[in-house]
Amino acid sequence: MARAARKRVCVLGAALVCMAAFVASGAPAAERHVVRDPHFGEVLFYLFQEDYFSALSKLMTAQHFQRLPHHAEEAELLRGGMLLSYGLHQEAGRVFQALIDAGAPPSVRDRAWFYLAKIRYQRGYIAEAEAAIERVQAPLPGELEDERLVLHAMLLSRRKQYRQAAEMLRRVSDRSAWTAYGQYNLGVTLIQAGERDAGVKLLDEIGSKSPHGEELTALRDKANVALAYAFLQSDDPAWAEPYLGRVRLNGLLSNKALLGMGWMHAALNEYERALVPWMELADRSLTDTAVQESLLAVPFALGKLGAYRQSLARYESALDAYTHEITRLDQAIVAIRRGALVENILRDNPGEESGWYWRVRQLPDTPESRYLAELLATNEFQEGLKNYRDLGFLSSTLNTWARNIGVYRDMLATRRQGFAERLPRVIAGERALQVERLRAAHAREVQSLARVESEGNAEALADERERMLASRLERVRAGIEGLVEPAQRETVREKHRLMRGLLTWDLSTQYSRRLRDEKKALQEAGRLITEADGRREALLQAQAQAPASFDEFDKRIEILRDRIARAQGKVSAAARAQEEYLAKLAITELARRREQIASYITQARFAVAQIYDQAVRAAEKTR
């Protein structure tokens, strides 16, 4: 369960783990999960979707335009991790080194070098992996430290420094999920270093446990098979039997265990007992090398038991099977040379942006793939497939960008044409020409308001209702003189004077506020006129400068088109080279199998000849 949980965490890639390490080490608890820059949140969205290429592209774009002011260090660490997930260990190393030089926390530094060592080891850069693992200065937290010890021991073992590797593996925690793997590697390492008893003890512990889960069960089978073959190769066949008996009949190593069980009995001259596992093995798929060897082992045992007729029949059946198998191998080699193998594998195993953690999960149902299960399980072939898959994704992306270049050209041509057609009309249009009239009217209003202020003319600031009342009062004053009765005329005059006084009082009390409002309105109008004039000047400037900017965009598009074309050529060449490399690996494996089967055919024919010779001699003796 712990192993499965760790794999689920790692599915986001080393990038996310590195970023989490940085955030946990440097930020207060309340701020660890706060995304303050929206563009950084977008990057994390694609990252959690496992679209690592999209996340990396958007991250680098945001960094180029300086859109991540609050997450600069986190973003750079994330970039290094995602570069690492695509196997770009040299560029990732430069990113990590720059962060370390800039004062990154030790925990970030050590984790960065550990993941760098891990990806370098997986990619086959052993010397570079050793250099990176040596730079881890302090123990890593949790199970990462145990994984580091196991990785370091594996690197030491490749240099045949078995004792140093054993010392490294002894430090693996007993409670860690890596304990079983550490014990297995330590056991094998001790046997290779000449300390067989200590190595056997460790492997026996693994082989005798009742593990939980398919992964540890397969490791148990592997430990038991390793122990059994160690005793078979050291001429102690009797010691191999209990270990072979622990191996499952239908596991990944069952065929090898059955073959070893037969040879163990044969070494003890127990040929009847040897036939039991060999006969079981002979009925299994002929693509397995153990099954191929069993086709010779069965008639060999029958011959030892004196059953020459049955032995001869078995040898002839083996020759027919070998001949047909060589034909199928030749057909598989032809199919691989046509490029079918890699295409079929990638078709049945999607995940073009998965980066480091992409694996072949399902073999295609093709004649050639059934011979390559062991090859596909090797790190060398897996890494080669990753490289080819990444190159294929880059090629598809570059092709999309190349098509988009034509779209950008059309967009630029449309904008250039629209700009040339519409801008002159906008500049010469009625709305643009009104600016001058508005400026003149504004100047007149400013002068008029200044005159009103100097004269203190409150009536000049009267609103529409007040002007209407003033007009009505003026008409009333003119009509008073037309009255016939003098006594009535005097009364109306008094009322008129009173109403006129009230209006004058209202205008006087509102004068200061209205004067202030008018000044503010004129200031705002002046600002808007100035702004409109500035925009008109900007339009005129744009009219003069736009052709040059369009030409600059045209040059950039052309430069990008050439860069994409060059990149397409490089990627295509690299993809062809990688495909040829993978095909060479597969063909080499199939050729090795063909040679092995050819040697089996030679042995079978020689054995048949021996049986006929023995039969002739037996007939001569009876005469």
Side-chain angles (χ1 to χ4, degrees), residues 41-202:
E42 182 185 24
V43 171
L44 294 180
F45 170 80
Y46 284 100
L47 180 68
F48 277 94
Q49 297 297 317
E50 300 181 24
D51 295 334
Y52 299 130
F53 186 85
S54 298
L56 180 59
S57 300
K58 293 184 180 298
L59 175 63
M60 295 178 68
T61 301
Q63 286 180 314
H64 175 76
F65 290 105
Q66 299 180 353
R67 294 169 177 168
L68 308 174
H70 300 97
H71 301 280
E73 289 186 339
E74 297 168 65
E76 188 65 3
L77 187 63
L78 184 58
R79 184 173 75 90
M82 284 193 286
L83 290 172
L84 189 61
S85 74
Y86 275 100
L88 302 175
H89 62 94
Q90 293 180 343
E91 182 63 23
R94 285 191 286 270
V95 172
F96 293 151
Q97 186 62 62
L99 287 170
I100 291 168
D101 293 341
S107 59
V108 175
R109 177 199 63 207
D110 290 336
R111 291 191 192 196
W113 287 121
F114 165 69
Y115 282 109
L116 195 59
K118 188 174 181 179
I119 191 63
R120 284 175 174 176
Y121 176 78
Q122 289 194 356
R123 294 277 170 162
Y125 302 108
I126 304 304
E128 291 84 352
E130 291 175 347
I133 203 75
E134 291 289 348
R135 301 192 69 166
V136 180
Q137 298 179 6
L140 298 175
E143 291 192 351
L144 283 181
E145 175 63 12
D146 296 314
E147 187 179 1
R148 180 190 72 83
L149 291 171
V150 172
L151 175 60
H152 201 167
M154 292 171 68
L155 290 169
L156 291 170
S157 297
R158 291 181 68 97
R159 297 177 61 183
K160 298 183 179 181
Q161 296 179 356
Y162 300 122
R163 295 189 182 276
Q164 294 90 326
E167 290 297 324
M168 190 70 64
L169 287 170
R170 285 192 180 100
R171 292 158 53 188
V172 177
S173 171
D174 293 337
R175 293 172 295 179
S176 170
W178 288 94
T179 300
Y181 297 94
Q183 283 184 337
Y184 176 82
N185 284 285
L186 179 55
V188 173
T189 300
L190 288 172
I191 292 174
Q192 292 173 336
E195 300 180 19
R196 193 180 78 168
D197 293 342
V200 168
K201 181 180 179 181
L202 283 174

Side-chain angles (χ1 to χ4, degrees), residues 17 20-21 26 40 44 57-58 76 131 241 340 361 365 368 385 400 427 441 516 523 546 577 599 604 617:
V17 178
F40 192 63
L44 294 180
S57 300
K58 293 184 180 298
E76 188 65 3
E241 184 172 9
R361 306 296 182 187
D365 186 16
E368 63 274 10
L385 272 177
T400 301
I427 295 175
R516 184 171 60 254
Q523 288 176 353
S599 70
R617 290 178 182 177

Side-chain angles (χ1 to χ4, degrees), residues 525-551:
R527 185 188 67 78
L528 292 175
I529 291 172
T530 302
E531 183 178 332
D533 194 49
R535 290 181 178 179
R536 187 170 185 271
E537 291 296 327
L539 288 173
L540 293 173
Q541 188 176 8
Q543 186 179 34
Q545 296 178 352
S549 67
F550 287 137
D551 292 341

Side-chain angles (χ1 to χ4, degrees), residues 449-552:
L449 185 62
R451 187 167 52 252
V452 168
E453 184 179 11
S454 63
E455 295 174 356
N457 187 1
E459 292 188 7
L461 301 179
D463 58 23
E464 184 176 356
R465 184 184 66 83
E466 291 167 338
R467 287 195 295 272
M468 182 184 66
L469 289 175
S471 177
R472 290 177 64 185
L473 288 172
E474 184 62 25
R475 289 198 300 274
V476 168
R477 187 190 64 78
I480 290 175
E481 301 302 326
L483 291 176
V484 178
E485 295 293 334
Q488 190 179 12
R489 186 183 307 148
E490 189 62 31
T491 302
V492 172
R493 282 176 181 165
E494 183 61 25
K495 290 182 178 181
H496 174 269
R497 185 184 66 79
L498 179 61
M499 297 300 295
R500 181 63 187 176
L502 288 173
L503 179 60
T504 302
W505 172 261
D506 289 341
L507 291 174
S508 298
T509 57
Q510 298 291 330
Y511 171 73
S512 297
R513 181 183 62 79
R514 290 178 176 179
L515 180 63
R516 184 171 60 254
D517 291 343
E518 287 293 326
K519 287 182 177 180
K520 289 178 63 176
L522 286 175
Q523 288 176 353
E524 179 65 14
R527 185 188 67 78
L528 292 175
I529 291 172
T530 302
E531 183 178 332
D533 194 49
R535 290 181 178 179
R536 187 170 185 271
E537 291 296 327
L539 288 173
L540 293 173
Q541 188 176 8
Q543 186 179 34
Q545 296 178 352
S549 67
F550 287 137
D551 292 341
E552 185 63 27

Side-chain angles (χ1 to χ4, degrees), residues 369-472:
S369 62
R370 67 194 189 109
Y371 295 102
L372 300 173
E374 294 180 7
L375 178 63
L376 289 170
T378 62
N379 189 64
E380 183 180 18
F381 197 85
Q382 286 275 351
E383 293 304 312
L385 272 177
K386 288 182 196 176
N387 290 336
Y388 183 78
R389 181 218 53 194
D390 291 346
L391 289 168
F393 175 71
L394 286 176
S395 178
S396 175
T397 302
L398 288 171
N399 292 338
T400 301
W401 289 352
R403 291 192 297 270
N404 289 342
I405 287 293
V407 176
Y408 294 145
R409 283 188 174 281
D410 294 341
M411 290 171 58
L412 183 60
T414 301
R415 291 190 63 183
R416 190 195 298 269
Q417 180 179 357
F419 193 86
E421 291 177 354
R422 291 194 293 270
L423 184 60
R425 293 201 301 268
V426 171
I427 295 175
E430 181 66 22
R431 293 179 62 186
L433 294 176
Q434 285 180 357
V435 174
E436 297 297 333
R437 291 197 294 270
L438 289 172
R439 183 183 291 109
H442 179 264
R444 290 194 298 270
E445 289 293 332
V446 169
Q447 292 177 358
S448 175
L449 185 62
R451 187 167 52 252
V452 168
E453 184 179 11
S454 63
E455 295 174 356
N457 187 1
E459 292 188 7
L461 301 179
D463 58 23
E464 184 176 356
R465 184 184 66 83
E466 291 167 338
R467 287 195 295 272
M468 182 184 66
L469 289 175
S471 177
R472 290 177 64 185

